[in-house]
Amino acid sequence: SHTNAPPFSAHALAHGNFHELTLTTLDVQAPFATARLSAPVTFSRDRPVAAESAELTIEADLGKQAWVEAHGHVKGTVSVAAATAAARQTFSLDADGVQLPGVALRELHARGVLHWPQLELTSLRAQLDDASSAEAHGPLDWQKRELIGAAAKAKLHPEWFARWLPAGLTWESAEITATADGPLAALRSQGSLDLTQARWGALQPMTLHATWRGTGPRKQALSARVTAGHSALDFTGQLE
């Protein structure tokens, strides 16, 4: 058997290349999604661009498309404030009740601004389920390919990760914090992981506190303390 895709209409015009693209027209009408562009807008990787005021809006009901088993609503917007030298582009992304094969997401809200050369993620909030969530924010200098004080934190409970965990592995709570800045090629980062009442099979419940600090993926100073009952194990090392 086969599933027929629902009918839809689309009209789009664009010109440019990998470094700079101008979208002049976009109008999509489908049972599962709509997309509209109010005026031409240019996206550039390498330079500031002038632009008229414009807004690009995309909305989708994932349950109404026929290609994959999915549910949830997604809405994204890009708004351009007119300028003679460098247009200011703000973007937002909202999703709720998203369910894809093997993955579920209760809510997602992201906000950001591109004011050349800085692309800033002003806020990212994801609610995975009742107990697990994540947040992040921070600017990126697009011209220098450099992060400036980016930060993230998450509270994770085992229910959301159950499909990927070894049988019998669970914990009471897990909290992760991380910060990063500097060139993407040699990123300076630090962070911590706190895990409480971790259990696996017949092992005694354990508590873990770990930290890391370093530059790049292969130059990290690591330290950790594992506590189980009246016993504790300390570890320090260097990832080269």
Side-chain angles (χ1 to χ4, degrees), residues 150 178-182 186-191 212-217 219-221:
T179 59
D181 58 21
L187 200 61
R188 298 183 297 274
S189 65
Q190 63 180 9
W212 74 89
R213 178 193 296 268
T215 301
K219 294 183 179 180
Q220 296 286 329

Side-chain angles (χ1 to χ4, degrees), residues 16-191:
N17 52 43
F18 179 73
H19 295 279
E20 187 169 305
L21 176 70
T22 297
L23 188 61
T24 56
T25 301
L26 179 65
D27 185 21
V28 177
Q29 300 293 325
F32 60 91
T34 61
R36 295 185 182 89
L37 178 65
S38 63
V41 61
T42 298
F43 304 95
S44 177
R45 293 182 56 209
D46 302 313
R47 68 182 184 95
V49 291
E52 300 177 3
S53 295
E55 183 170 86
L56 171 64
T57 303
I58 300 173
E59 295 188 59
D61 183 341
L62 301 181
K64 292 182 179 180
Q65 53 79 43
W67 294 284
V68 296
E69 183 66 28
H71 299 280
H73 295 83
V74 179
K75 180 178 180 180
T77 63
V78 178
S79 300
V80 181
T84 57
R88 178 183 176 92
Q89 300 173 2
T90 62
F91 61 86
S92 67
L93 176 66
D94 297 286
D96 65 89
V98 173
Q99 294 184 5
L100 298 171
V103 179
L105 180 65
R106 178 74 54 84
E107 290 183 31
L108 174 71
H109 304 284
R111 301 289 184 271
V113 178
L114 172 62
H115 195 195
W116 185 264
Q118 191 172 98
L119 171 64
E120 181 175 5
L121 180 65
T122 54
S123 69
L124 171 66
R125 294 184 292 109
Q127 189 70 39
L128 307 182
D129 58 18
D130 288 339
S132 297
S133 61
E135 299 180 13
H137 64 87
L140 167 69
D141 189 308
W142 196 254
Q143 202 165 38
K144 296 179 180 178
R145 305 296 193 265
E146 183 175 279
L147 276 178
I148 308 167
K153 63 179 180 180
K155 294 182 178 180
L156 307 175
H157 285 246
E159 289 81 3
W160 195 83
F161 300 91
R163 63 181 67 86
W164 299 297
L165 295 175
L169 177 60
T170 186
W171 61 85
E172 185 176 281
S173 66
E175 296 189 12
I176 301 174
T177 63
T179 59
D181 58 21
L184 297 181
L187 200 61
R188 298 183 297 274
S189 65
Q190 63 180 9

